[in-house]
Amino acid sequence: MEYSVFIQLLGNFGFPIAVTLFLLVKLEKKLEQLELAIHALSKAFSKQEGKSDK
């Protein structure tokens, strides 16, 4: 494979790959925050359910 072909492939696909990786990293942080919120909500719901049973 010639060097110029490699440069052309990198130019054509490098930007979409970089954007995809950036979005995945940003999405991962949001998913972690969402997971923590779901756990907190689940704990609060369990506590509320325990109080209403008494």
Side-chain angles (χ1 to χ4, degrees):
M1 183 183 257
E2 291 183 31
Y3 186 70
S4 62
V5 174
F6 178 72
I7 295 295
Q8 185 179 5
L9 285 173
L10 184 62
N12 289 338
F13 297 107
F15 179 73
I17 289 172
V19 169
T20 301
L21 291 175
F22 173 76
L23 291 175
L24 284 174
V25 167
K26 295 289 275 185
L27 183 62
E28 181 183 7
K29 291 177 183 177
K30 295 291 182 184
L31 286 174
E32 287 174 0
Q33 291 174 351
L34 182 59
E35 184 180 2
L36 291 173
I38 290 172
H39 284 296
L41 184 60
S42 177
K43 286 180 183 178
F45 183 72
S46 294
K47 286 180 182 179
Q48 185 66 28
E49 235 179 29
K51 288 180 181 178
S52 66
D53 288 343
K54 291 181 182 178

